[in-house]
Amino acid sequence: MASPQSGRLPVTVVTGFLGAGKTTLLRHLLLHSQRRLAVLVNEFGEVGIDGDLLRSCGFCSDEELEGRLVELANGCLCCTVQDDFLPTMQALLERGDQLDGILVETSGLALPQPLLEAFQWPQIRSSTWVSGVVAVVDGEALAQGAVVADPAALEAQRRADPGLDHAAAIDELFEDQLACADLVLVSRADRLAPEELEKVQQRVGPLVRDGTAVLPVARGAVNPELVLGLASGAGEQAQGPGEAGEDPHHAEHEHHDHSHVAMQSAALRLDGVLDRQALETRLLELIRSHGLIRVKGRLRQPGKARPLEIQAVGPRLESWYANPSDQASLAEPGLDLVVLGFALQQEVLQSALEALRTDL
């Protein structure tokens, strides 16, 4: 559920073309995140296939399915935001205290931007935050010079939606999806030779924003923390499947997800006064320069009764003042952060943040 401190439910948007591997990724997240996730699936043409695959994976009891799995089959979500997405999200948020987060799987034709703009609507803005936009790309297809493995199936899906109000070419859709991505996952990477994977990364790299990680995955197996960012808060170490026994008080751990990509988490703490704007600017600089994938934590400021919640994935950074807390108002000014990335240089990161203190 949304934590008492934040009061907002994280939403992860998963985008990518038909057949890229979105549903396989969702199955893995639902089964291995150890969180109560609801999932909203937007596919049409082949109605029910994705929903059936998720429904049969056993991520929740039969009694919970109706409230945890929602299928929107009236057309491309970015074209039906007001009619379909808004009422569906409002219904899910009515049960927000029974959930830890929401996954949204867009159709292969969706433009992510209209959906992201919908999260600014007053009806849902105060109750959610965008935990990240994850683009899944087909590694095999890209290695062969195509952005989608089955263009005919994608075109059939386009024809199945008479209400589709954007007619961008496949390459343009691909570029739009990557431009909005905070994290890119290259599916079927286990079937690629090293030189093929490098070719894919060279194709994708120029199309994403600076600071967006491009990671290989196999069969949707990726550490859920990379995608969801749902650890309880600053100070808790990121844990992937099978890592629950690790000591959460160690400052740094190394994790290996099923795609054999080594991820590290580091806890950073410092006492003193920091300016919010300067901190946010520095964090974005560190994300770009140190390849940080996730940043999350809390800033305690003098004169503020509420801590500032900080959440970032790739180049997307959001911050807001959490619900009132007696403990926060009594705590000394300072910063608690958890960062996730690769080959982390904890001392360098710590020094970069210490330099921001205004009370030295």
Side-chain angles (χ1 to χ4, degrees), residues 69-297:
L69 175 61
V70 181
E71 297 176 78
L72 297 181
N74 293 329
C76 190
L77 191 58
C78 68
C79 303
T80 61
V81 167
Q82 187 165 350
D83 294 333
D84 285 345
F85 178 73
L86 180 58
T88 299
M89 283 296 298
Q90 288 177 310
L92 287 174
L93 292 174
E94 288 178 358
R95 299 180 296 98
D97 60 344
Q98 303 171 35
L99 299 172
D100 296 313
I102 299 173
L103 293 165
V104 178
E105 179 189 356
T106 70
S107 83
L109 297 172
L111 299 173
Q113 194 58 42
L115 184 60
L116 296 177
E117 291 172 357
F119 285 101
Q120 300 303 313
W121 292 352
Q123 297 95 320
I124 58 177
R125 180 177 181 177
S126 62
S127 302
T128 65
W129 58 278
V130 178
S131 176
V133 178
V134 180
V136 183
V137 300
D138 188 330
E140 276 192 311
L142 283 170
Q144 296 170 14
V147 298
V148 59
D150 190 349
L154 191 67
E155 184 58 32
Q157 187 183 47
R158 192 196 300 268
R159 292 195 300 270
D161 182 8
L164 192 69
D165 62 9
H166 62 86
I170 290 178
D171 284 346
E172 292 177 13
L173 278 172
F174 183 68
E175 292 177 7
D176 285 338
Q177 292 174 355
L178 289 179
C180 288
D182 307 307
L183 173 65
V184 177
L185 300 180
V186 180
S187 69
R188 303 180 177 92
D190 56 324
R191 303 180 187 179
L192 301 180
E195 61 272 15
E196 291 178 312
L197 180 58
E198 183 178 357
K199 178 181 177 182
V200 170
Q201 291 171 326
Q202 289 175 348
R203 170 74 186 274
V204 171
L207 301 178
V208 300
R209 291 169 294 155
D210 193 17
T212 300
V214 180
L215 305 179
V217 297
R219 296 174 294 281
V222 64
N223 191 315
E225 183 65 2
L226 282 177
V227 178
L228 302 172
L230 283 176
S232 297
E236 177 179 325
Q237 297 301 311
Q239 294 177 351
E243 293 165 349
E246 292 182 344
D247 181 2
H249 302 293
H250 284 177
E252 184 169 328
H253 292 300
E254 182 172 299
H255 306 287
H256 295 271
D257 63 31
H258 293 177
S259 64
H260 307 291
V261 177
M263 180 185 75
Q264 295 174 327
S265 64
L268 305 173
R269 294 188 176 187
L270 62 94
D271 297 323
V273 180
L274 288 86
D275 175 74
R276 172 182 178 176
Q277 184 174 354
L279 174 62
E280 292 176 346
T281 300
R282 179 61 51 84
L283 288 175
L284 288 172
E285 292 172 353
L286 293 174
I287 286 169
R288 291 190 294 267
S289 61
H290 286 70
L292 304 182
I293 300 177
R294 285 274 175 187
V295 177
K296 53 197 171 185

Side-chain angles (χ1 to χ4, degrees), residues 233-237 251 265-270 274 279 282-283 286 292 294-300 308-312 317 334-340 346 349-350 353 356:
E236 177 179 325
Q237 297 301 311
S265 64
L268 305 173
R269 294 188 176 187
L270 62 94
L274 288 86
L279 174 62
R282 179 61 51 84
L283 288 175
L286 293 174
L292 304 182
R294 285 274 175 187
V295 177
K296 53 197 171 185
R298 299 187 185 99
L299 173 67
R300 302 180 303 278
L308 182 74
E309 291 277 338
I310 300 168
Q311 293 281 350
L317 187 149
L335 175 69
D336 295 306
L337 281 182
V338 172
V339 297
L340 308 179
Q346 185 166 347
L349 297 173
Q350 183 82 25
L353 296 173
L356 296 177

